[in-house]
Amino acid sequence: MEGQQRSKNQILYLLKTRGDKSAIALAEELHLSPMAVRQHLQALQSEGLVSYREEKRPLGRPVKLWRLTDRAAAIFPDSHADLMVDLLQSVEAVFGAPGLEKLIAERSQRQIQAYTEKISDAEDWRSRVYAIARLRTREGYMAEAIELPERGMLLIENHCPIRAAAASCGLLCKAELEVFKTLLGATVKIERVEHILASDRRCAYRICPVETAVNQC
């Protein structure tokens, strides 16, 4: 039973971090038989944690691509969602919109200060992106940095541990982008190209050196 649960958790993790996948693709990554993976997927489907869509192929039958359901989001860490939402709403009710903006700005400044101290050894902006990804992963964002052509990079957050709060207060997402801009400096251009709150699977930021940003970002 423990082994089965471990395999199911690995499937959930892969679908969370890598997006929609077929049973065969999951089997290859987990070094399991396709039959075993299909059994795990059926069990997860019965629990309401996964669903699938069919993708047509030029030849043969359509392929089932499995994905996480909204219910599966509860499996991954959420930083005290109800408390955060309640606090943000209370701040706005008592101090108004300016008070809420001041609170978010103060939080951002503390983030910038803490991150700056932890990435001070990074030699260049690329090293800082990798360092930020490691820090964000420790905070529950399941982050990663990916190299792009023409010297660009992609900073990905596969999970948002403050999703409920961010959905309640759009300033949090805006502030996150500004924090990254400050940490990476004026030599790069950064933009959000995927957004969990816009129904994307993940949040992703494309980062390019300024000299190539016109064509790449």
Side-chain angles (χ1 to χ4, degrees):
M1 291 295 292
E2 183 178 343
Q4 291 181 357
Q5 187 58 50
R6 184 184 306 113
S7 295
K8 286 168 33 175
N9 289 341
Q10 290 173 331
I11 288 172
L12 293 172
Y13 179 82
L14 280 177
L15 293 177
K16 178 69 172 175
T17 58
R18 296 294 180 260
D20 302 1
K21 283 190 174 294
S22 68
I24 291 178
L26 289 167
E28 290 176 351
E29 294 205 42
L30 295 174
H31 304 291
L32 297 172
S33 70
M35 181 178 294
V37 169
R38 289 190 179 97
Q39 290 175 344
H40 292 318
L41 288 169
Q42 289 171 2
L44 291 169
Q45 185 180 28
S46 68
E47 297 173 32
L49 300 177
V50 300
S51 62
Y52 68 84
R53 62 181 176 87
E54 292 191 340
E55 184 177 86
K56 293 182 179 180
R57 298 293 170 91
L59 298 174
R61 300 170 57 185
V63 175
K64 290 182 179 179
L65 294 179
W66 293 86
R67 60 173 64 173
L68 297 182
T69 63
D70 290 340
R71 183 175 179 180
I75 296 174
F76 299 92
D78 195 332
S79 300
H80 311 293
D82 293 338
L83 176 60
M84 287 189 67
V85 171
D86 186 58
L87 284 173
L88 291 171
Q89 291 175 343
S90 296
V91 168
E92 187 170 21
V94 175
F95 301 104
L100 182 59
E101 291 175 4
K102 186 175 181 179
L103 174 68
I104 301 300
E106 171 62 22
R107 175 179 180 271
S108 295
Q109 287 303 311
R110 285 188 284 107
Q111 280 185 308
I112 291 169
Q113 182 177 355
Y115 287 171
T116 299
E117 293 175 357
K118 293 175 181 177
I119 67 175
S120 59
D121 293 337
E123 297 179 356
D124 53 25
W125 70 267
R126 306 178 77 82
S127 300
R128 290 197 292 274
V129 173
Y130 282 111
I132 291 169
R134 290 192 294 270
L135 290 172
R136 300 291 279 182
T137 292
R138 293 174 195 164
E139 295 174 5
Y141 287 86
M142 299 172 71
E144 56 187 321
I146 295 177
E147 299 280 349
L148 294 175
E150 301 296 330
R151 299 179 61 214
M153 295 190 72
L154 203 61
L155 175 61
I156 295 170
E157 294 177 336
N158 290 292
H159 180 62
C160 180
I162 60 167
R163 179 173 180 171
S168 174
C169 177
L171 291 174
L172 286 170
C173 291
K174 181 180 179 181
E176 179 180 73
L177 178 57
E178 294 304 316
V179 166
F180 293 156
K181 285 182 177 179
T182 301
L183 292 173
L184 295 176
T187 61
V188 299
K189 178 181 178 182
I190 175 172
E191 66 172 332
R192 185 187 287 117
V193 293
E194 295 181 59
H195 194 191
I196 290 175
L197 293 186
S199 299
D200 291 321
R201 180 181 64 82
R202 62 191 185 180
C203 286
Y205 298 87
R206 186 164 55 205
I207 306 160
C208 299
V210 170
E211 63 268 22
T212 60
V214 173
N215 296 324
Q216 298 299 321
C217 288

PDB file of all heavy atoms in Angstrom, residues 2 11 22 27 39 45 50 53 64 74 86-87 103 106 108 110 114 144 153 160 169 172 174 192 200-201 203:
ATOM      1  N   GLU A   2       1.952   1.233   0.801  1.00  0.00           N
ATOM      2  CA  GLU A   2       2.816   2.410   0.862  1.00  0.00           C
ATOM      3  C   GLU A   2       3.456   2.684  -0.494  1.00  0.00           C
ATOM      4  O   GLU A   2       3.564   3.836  -0.926  1.00  0.00           O
ATOM      5  CB  GLU A   2       3.895   2.199   1.920  1.00  0.00           C
ATOM      6  CG  GLU A   2       4.798   3.407   2.113  1.00  0.00           C
ATOM      7  CD  GLU A   2       5.836   3.195   3.201  1.00  0.00           C
ATOM      8  OE1 GLU A   2       5.657   2.259   4.009  1.00  0.00           O
ATOM      9  OE2 GLU A   2       6.812   3.961   3.235  1.00  0.00           O
ATOM     10  N   ILE A  11       2.985  10.528  -9.514  1.00  0.00           N
ATOM     11  CA  ILE A  11       2.176  10.881 -10.684  1.00  0.00           C
ATOM     12  C   ILE A  11       1.603  12.284 -10.517  1.00  0.00           C
ATOM     13  O   ILE A  11       1.649  13.110 -11.438  1.00  0.00           O
ATOM     14  CB  ILE A  11       1.049   9.854 -10.889  1.00  0.00           C
ATOM     15  CG1 ILE A  11       1.635   8.536 -11.401  1.00  0.00           C
ATOM     16  CG2 ILE A  11       0.004  10.374 -11.882  1.00  0.00           C
ATOM     17  CD1 ILE A  11       0.632   7.389 -11.447  1.00  0.00           C
ATOM     18  N   SER A  22       0.457  11.543 -21.027  1.00  0.00           N
ATOM     19  CA  SER A  22      -0.189  10.262 -21.263  1.00  0.00           C
ATOM     20  C   SER A  22       0.294   9.247 -20.236  1.00  0.00           C
ATOM     21  O   SER A  22       1.327   9.443 -19.573  1.00  0.00           O
ATOM     22  CB  SER A  22       0.120   9.761 -22.676  1.00  0.00           C
ATOM     23  OG  SER A  22       1.502   9.427 -22.776  1.00  0.00           O
ATOM     24  N   ALA A  27       4.649   6.468 -17.355  1.00  0.00           N
ATOM     25  CA  ALA A  27       5.300   5.183 -17.073  1.00  0.00           C
ATOM     26  C   ALA A  27       6.794   5.245 -17.373  1.00  0.00           C
ATOM     27  O   ALA A  27       7.615   4.723 -16.614  1.00  0.00           O
ATOM     28  CB  ALA A  27       4.636   4.087 -17.898  1.00  0.00           C
ATOM     29  N   GLN A  39      -3.662   1.963 -13.723  1.00  0.00           N
ATOM     30  CA  GLN A  39      -4.403   1.609 -12.514  1.00  0.00           C
ATOM     31  C   GLN A  39      -4.343   2.725 -11.487  1.00  0.00           C
ATOM     32  O   GLN A  39      -5.361   3.063 -10.846  1.00  0.00           O
ATOM     33  CB  GLN A  39      -3.833   0.308 -11.929  1.00  0.00           C
ATOM     34  CG  GLN A  39      -4.121  -0.920 -12.771  1.00  0.00           C
ATOM     35  CD  GLN A  39      -3.450  -2.172 -12.229  1.00  0.00           C
ATOM     36  OE1 GLN A  39      -2.535  -2.101 -11.399  1.00  0.00           O
ATOM     37  NE2 GLN A  39      -3.893  -3.334 -12.687  1.00  0.00           N
ATOM     38  N   GLN A  45      -8.469   9.168 -10.418  1.00  0.00           N
ATOM     39  CA  GLN A  45      -9.678   9.714 -11.042  1.00  0.00           C
ATOM     40  C   GLN A  45     -10.897   9.480 -10.152  1.00  0.00           C
ATOM     41  O   GLN A  45     -11.754  10.366 -10.001  1.00  0.00           O
ATOM     42  CB  GLN A  45      -9.894   9.079 -12.415  1.00  0.00           C
ATOM     43  CG  GLN A  45     -11.064   9.680 -13.191  1.00  0.00           C
ATOM     44  CD  GLN A  45     -11.251   9.017 -14.543  1.00  0.00           C
ATOM     45  OE1 GLN A  45     -10.917   7.846 -14.726  1.00  0.00           O
ATOM     46  NE2 GLN A  45     -11.791   9.754 -15.504  1.00  0.00           N
ATOM     47  N   VAL A  50      -7.641  13.623 -10.689  1.00  0.00           N
ATOM     48  CA  VAL A  50      -7.168  13.755 -12.068  1.00  0.00           C
ATOM     49  C   VAL A  50      -8.333  13.557 -13.033  1.00  0.00           C
ATOM     50  O   VAL A  50      -9.341  12.921 -12.695  1.00  0.00           O
ATOM     51  CB  VAL A  50      -6.041  12.742 -12.411  1.00  0.00           C
ATOM     52  CG1 VAL A  50      -4.839  12.923 -11.512  1.00  0.00           C
ATOM     53  CG2 VAL A  50      -6.558  11.304 -12.344  1.00  0.00           C
ATOM     54  N   ARG A  53      -8.152  14.551 -21.088  1.00  0.00           N
ATOM     55  CA  ARG A  53      -8.713  15.017 -22.357  1.00  0.00           C
ATOM     56  C   ARG A  53      -8.116  14.147 -23.455  1.00  0.00           C
ATOM     57  O   ARG A  53      -7.021  13.609 -23.301  1.00  0.00           O
ATOM     58  CB  ARG A  53      -8.365  16.484 -22.615  1.00  0.00           C
ATOM     59  CG  ARG A  53      -6.882  16.772 -22.729  1.00  0.00           C
ATOM     60  CD  ARG A  53      -6.618  18.257 -22.949  1.00  0.00           C
ATOM     61  NE  ARG A  53      -5.179  18.546 -22.969  1.00  0.00           N
ATOM     62  CZ  ARG A  53      -4.413  18.482 -24.030  1.00  0.00           C
ATOM     63  NH1 ARG A  53      -4.944  18.131 -25.215  1.00  0.00           N
ATOM     64  NH2 ARG A  53      -3.125  18.764 -23.981  1.00  0.00           N
ATOM     65  N   LYS A  64      -5.125   9.684 -24.488  1.00  0.00           N
ATOM     66  CA  LYS A  64      -5.612  10.321 -23.276  1.00  0.00           C
ATOM     67  C   LYS A  64      -4.469  11.079 -22.609  1.00  0.00           C
ATOM     68  O   LYS A  64      -3.428  10.485 -22.296  1.00  0.00           O
ATOM     69  CB  LYS A  64      -6.169   9.285 -22.298  1.00  0.00           C
ATOM     70  CG  LYS A  64      -7.472   8.645 -22.740  1.00  0.00           C
ATOM     71  CD  LYS A  64      -7.962   7.659 -21.683  1.00  0.00           C
ATOM     72  CE  LYS A  64      -9.284   7.031 -22.089  1.00  0.00           C
ATOM     73  NZ  LYS A  64      -9.768   6.049 -21.074  1.00  0.00           N
ATOM     74  N   ALA A  74      -5.568  21.165  -3.475  1.00  0.00           N
ATOM     75  CA  ALA A  74      -5.555  21.119  -2.013  1.00  0.00           C
ATOM     76  C   ALA A  74      -4.458  20.212  -1.477  1.00  0.00           C
ATOM     77  O   ALA A  74      -4.079  20.297  -0.302  1.00  0.00           O
ATOM     78  CB  ALA A  74      -6.910  20.648  -1.497  1.00  0.00           C
ATOM     79  N   ASP A  86      -8.487  36.606   4.977  1.00  0.00           N
ATOM     80  CA  ASP A  86      -9.200  37.362   6.007  1.00  0.00           C
ATOM     81  C   ASP A  86      -8.397  38.582   6.451  1.00  0.00           C
ATOM     82  O   ASP A  86      -8.953  39.686   6.617  1.00  0.00           O
ATOM     83  CB  ASP A  86      -9.485  36.459   7.203  1.00  0.00           C
ATOM     84  CG  ASP A  86     -10.345  37.148   8.250  1.00  0.00           C
ATOM     85  OD1 ASP A  86     -11.457  37.570   7.910  1.00  0.00           O
ATOM     86  OD2 ASP A  86      -9.893  37.264   9.415  1.00  0.00           O
ATOM     87  N   LEU A  87      -7.082  38.419   6.614  1.00  0.00           N
ATOM     88  CA  LEU A  87      -6.241  39.537   7.035  1.00  0.00           C
ATOM     89  C   LEU A  87      -6.199  40.643   5.978  1.00  0.00           C
ATOM     90  O   LEU A  87      -6.305  41.832   6.297  1.00  0.00           O
ATOM     91  CB  LEU A  87      -4.822  39.045   7.332  1.00  0.00           C
ATOM     92  CG  LEU A  87      -4.622  38.296   8.647  1.00  0.00           C
ATOM     93  CD1 LEU A  87      -3.209  37.730   8.732  1.00  0.00           C
ATOM     94  CD2 LEU A  87      -4.898  39.209   9.837  1.00  0.00           C
ATOM     95  N   LEU A 103       0.836  47.982   2.848  1.00  0.00           N
ATOM     96  CA  LEU A 103       1.174  46.687   3.434  1.00  0.00           C
ATOM     97  C   LEU A 103       1.898  45.805   2.420  1.00  0.00           C
ATOM     98  O   LEU A 103       2.930  45.206   2.735  1.00  0.00           O
ATOM     99  CB  LEU A 103      -0.100  45.989   3.912  1.00  0.00           C
ATOM    100  CG  LEU A 103       0.079  44.555   4.432  1.00  0.00           C
ATOM    101  CD1 LEU A 103       0.855  44.550   5.736  1.00  0.00           C
ATOM    102  CD2 LEU A 103      -1.275  43.874   4.616  1.00  0.00           C
ATOM    103  N   GLU A 106       5.401  47.101   1.758  1.00  0.00           N
ATOM    104  CA  GLU A 106       6.300  46.765   2.866  1.00  0.00           C
ATOM    105  C   GLU A 106       6.731  45.305   2.776  1.00  0.00           C
ATOM    106  O   GLU A 106       7.910  44.969   2.977  1.00  0.00           O
ATOM    107  CB  GLU A 106       5.592  47.031   4.195  1.00  0.00           C
ATOM    108  CG  GLU A 106       6.323  46.518   5.434  1.00  0.00           C
ATOM    109  CD  GLU A 106       7.678  47.170   5.651  1.00  0.00           C
ATOM    110  OE1 GLU A 106       7.897  48.271   5.120  1.00  0.00           O
ATOM    111  OE2 GLU A 106       8.510  46.565   6.354  1.00  0.00           O
ATOM    112  N   SER A 108       6.950  43.525   0.083  1.00  0.00           N
ATOM    113  CA  SER A 108       7.865  43.406  -1.059  1.00  0.00           C
ATOM    114  C   SER A 108       9.264  43.854  -0.689  1.00  0.00           C
ATOM    115  O   SER A 108      10.260  43.228  -1.074  1.00  0.00           O
ATOM    116  CB  SER A 108       7.342  44.223  -2.248  1.00  0.00           C
ATOM    117  OG  SER A 108       6.120  43.706  -2.720  1.00  0.00           O
ATOM    118  N   ARG A 110      10.651  43.797   2.226  1.00  0.00           N
ATOM    119  CA  ARG A 110      11.267  42.788   3.088  1.00  0.00           C
ATOM    120  C   ARG A 110      11.715  41.578   2.277  1.00  0.00           C
ATOM    121  O   ARG A 110      12.758  40.986   2.550  1.00  0.00           O
ATOM    122  CB  ARG A 110      10.293  42.381   4.191  1.00  0.00           C
ATOM    123  CG  ARG A 110      10.155  43.437   5.289  1.00  0.00           C
ATOM    124  CD  ARG A 110       9.351  42.948   6.478  1.00  0.00           C
ATOM    125  NE  ARG A 110       7.918  42.929   6.204  1.00  0.00           N
ATOM    126  CZ  ARG A 110       7.205  41.818   6.000  1.00  0.00           C
ATOM    127  NH1 ARG A 110       7.801  40.633   6.036  1.00  0.00           N
ATOM    128  NH2 ARG A 110       5.915  41.885   5.778  1.00  0.00           N
ATOM    129  N   ALA A 114      15.580  40.283   1.964  1.00  0.00           N
ATOM    130  CA  ALA A 114      15.932  38.914   2.339  1.00  0.00           C
ATOM    131  C   ALA A 114      16.546  38.165   1.163  1.00  0.00           C
ATOM    132  O   ALA A 114      17.564  37.465   1.314  1.00  0.00           O
ATOM    133  CB  ALA A 114      14.686  38.179   2.844  1.00  0.00           C
ATOM    134  N   GLU A 144      11.507  26.515 -10.909  1.00  0.00           N
ATOM    135  CA  GLU A 144      12.643  26.032 -11.692  1.00  0.00           C
ATOM    136  C   GLU A 144      13.041  27.102 -12.701  1.00  0.00           C
ATOM    137  O   GLU A 144      12.231  27.962 -13.068  1.00  0.00           O
ATOM    138  CB  GLU A 144      12.303  24.721 -12.411  1.00  0.00           C
ATOM    139  CG  GLU A 144      11.076  24.807 -13.302  1.00  0.00           C
ATOM    140  CD  GLU A 144      10.690  23.441 -13.858  1.00  0.00           C
ATOM    141  OE1 GLU A 144      11.586  22.653 -14.203  1.00  0.00           O
ATOM    142  OE2 GLU A 144       9.477  23.179 -13.961  1.00  0.00           O
ATOM    143  N   MET A 153      15.960  33.221 -20.476  1.00  0.00           N
ATOM    144  CA  MET A 153      15.643  32.226 -19.458  1.00  0.00           C
ATOM    145  C   MET A 153      14.162  32.291 -19.125  1.00  0.00           C
ATOM    146  O   MET A 153      13.488  33.297 -19.386  1.00  0.00           O
ATOM    147  CB  MET A 153      16.465  32.453 -18.182  1.00  0.00           C
ATOM    148  CG  MET A 153      17.953  32.254 -18.343  1.00  0.00           C
ATOM    149  SD  MET A 153      18.831  32.263 -16.748  1.00  0.00           S
ATOM    150  CE  MET A 153      18.317  30.684 -16.055  1.00  0.00           C
ATOM    151  N   CYS A 160       1.446  27.818  -6.548  1.00  0.00           N
ATOM    152  CA  CYS A 160       1.343  29.088  -5.819  1.00  0.00           C
ATOM    153  C   CYS A 160       0.793  28.809  -4.429  1.00  0.00           C
ATOM    154  O   CYS A 160      -0.409  28.547  -4.274  1.00  0.00           O
ATOM    155  CB  CYS A 160       0.422  30.064  -6.553  1.00  0.00           C
ATOM    156  SG  CYS A 160       0.256  31.649  -5.685  1.00  0.00           S
ATOM    157  N   CYS A 169      -6.446  39.398  -3.755  1.00  0.00           N
ATOM    158  CA  CYS A 169      -5.719  40.670  -3.822  1.00  0.00           C
ATOM    159  C   CYS A 169      -4.733  40.638  -4.990  1.00  0.00           C
ATOM    160  O   CYS A 169      -3.651  40.059  -4.887  1.00  0.00           O
ATOM    161  CB  CYS A 169      -4.982  40.923  -2.508  1.00  0.00           C
ATOM    162  SG  CYS A 169      -3.983  42.432  -2.506  1.00  0.00           S
ATOM    163  N   LEU A 172      -0.755  41.354  -4.949  1.00  0.00           N
ATOM    164  CA  LEU A 172       0.303  40.396  -4.622  1.00  0.00           C
ATOM    165  C   LEU A 172       1.034  39.921  -5.871  1.00  0.00           C
ATOM    166  O   LEU A 172       2.264  39.823  -5.886  1.00  0.00           O
ATOM    167  CB  LEU A 172      -0.293  39.200  -3.872  1.00  0.00           C
ATOM    168  CG  LEU A 172      -0.699  39.466  -2.418  1.00  0.00           C
ATOM    169  CD1 LEU A 172      -1.492  38.291  -1.863  1.00  0.00           C
ATOM    170  CD2 LEU A 172       0.533  39.722  -1.558  1.00  0.00           C
ATOM    171  N   LYS A 174       1.157  41.516  -8.781  1.00  0.00           N
ATOM    172  CA  LYS A 174       1.866  42.676  -9.333  1.00  0.00           C
ATOM    173  C   LYS A 174       3.170  42.908  -8.569  1.00  0.00           C
ATOM    174  O   LYS A 174       4.216  43.187  -9.168  1.00  0.00           O
ATOM    175  CB  LYS A 174       0.976  43.911  -9.245  1.00  0.00           C
ATOM    176  CG  LYS A 174       1.619  45.174  -9.807  1.00  0.00           C
ATOM    177  CD  LYS A 174       0.679  46.372  -9.689  1.00  0.00           C
ATOM    178  CE  LYS A 174       1.346  47.632 -10.227  1.00  0.00           C
ATOM    179  NZ  LYS A 174       0.450  48.818 -10.102  1.00  0.00           N
ATOM    180  N   ARG A 192       5.707  38.450 -17.310  1.00  0.00           N
ATOM    181  CA  ARG A 192       4.948  37.244 -16.991  1.00  0.00           C
ATOM    182  C   ARG A 192       4.257  36.758 -18.258  1.00  0.00           C
ATOM    183  O   ARG A 192       3.502  37.496 -18.884  1.00  0.00           O
ATOM    184  CB  ARG A 192       3.918  37.530 -15.906  1.00  0.00           C
ATOM    185  CG  ARG A 192       3.164  36.284 -15.442  1.00  0.00           C
ATOM    186  CD  ARG A 192       2.037  36.626 -14.479  1.00  0.00           C
ATOM    187  NE  ARG A 192       2.522  37.014 -13.169  1.00  0.00           N
ATOM    188  CZ  ARG A 192       2.332  38.218 -12.639  1.00  0.00           C
ATOM    189  NH1 ARG A 192       1.716  39.168 -13.324  1.00  0.00           N
ATOM    190  NH2 ARG A 192       2.789  38.495 -11.429  1.00  0.00           N
ATOM    191  N   ASP A 200      -3.842  29.419 -16.353  1.00  0.00           N
ATOM    192  CA  ASP A 200      -2.701  28.658 -16.833  1.00  0.00           C
ATOM    193  C   ASP A 200      -2.294  27.638 -15.772  1.00  0.00           C
ATOM    194  O   ASP A 200      -2.631  27.784 -14.593  1.00  0.00           O
ATOM    195  CB  ASP A 200      -1.517  29.584 -17.143  1.00  0.00           C
ATOM    196  CG  ASP A 200      -1.781  30.459 -18.365  1.00  0.00           C
ATOM    197  OD1 ASP A 200      -2.387  29.946 -19.328  1.00  0.00           O
ATOM    198  OD2 ASP A 200      -1.387  31.647 -18.344  1.00  0.00           O
ATOM    199  N   ARG A 201      -1.552  26.629 -16.184  1.00  0.00           N
ATOM    200  CA  ARG A 201      -1.122  25.585 -15.255  1.00  0.00           C
ATOM    201  C   ARG A 201      -0.110  26.098 -14.251  1.00  0.00           C
ATOM    202  O   ARG A 201       0.011  25.584 -13.138  1.00  0.00           O
ATOM    203  CB  ARG A 201      -0.521  24.408 -16.038  1.00  0.00           C
ATOM    204  CG  ARG A 201      -0.035  23.268 -15.162  1.00  0.00           C
ATOM    205  CD  ARG A 201       0.577  22.148 -15.982  1.00  0.00           C
ATOM    206  NE  ARG A 201       1.775  22.561 -16.685  1.00  0.00           N
ATOM    207  CZ  ARG A 201       2.987  22.617 -16.136  1.00  0.00           C
ATOM    208  NH1 ARG A 201       3.146  22.346 -14.861  1.00  0.00           N
ATOM    209  NH2 ARG A 201       4.044  22.983 -16.840  1.00  0.00           N
ATOM    210  N   CYS A 203       2.752  29.717 -13.235  1.00  0.00           N
ATOM    211  CA  CYS A 203       3.202  31.080 -13.499  1.00  0.00           C
ATOM    212  C   CYS A 203       4.597  30.980 -14.117  1.00  0.00           C
ATOM    213  O   CYS A 203       5.420  30.187 -13.654  1.00  0.00           O
ATOM    214  CB  CYS A 203       3.273  31.908 -12.211  1.00  0.00           C
ATOM    215  SG  CYS A 203       1.659  32.386 -11.567  1.00  0.00           S
TER     216      CYS A 203
END
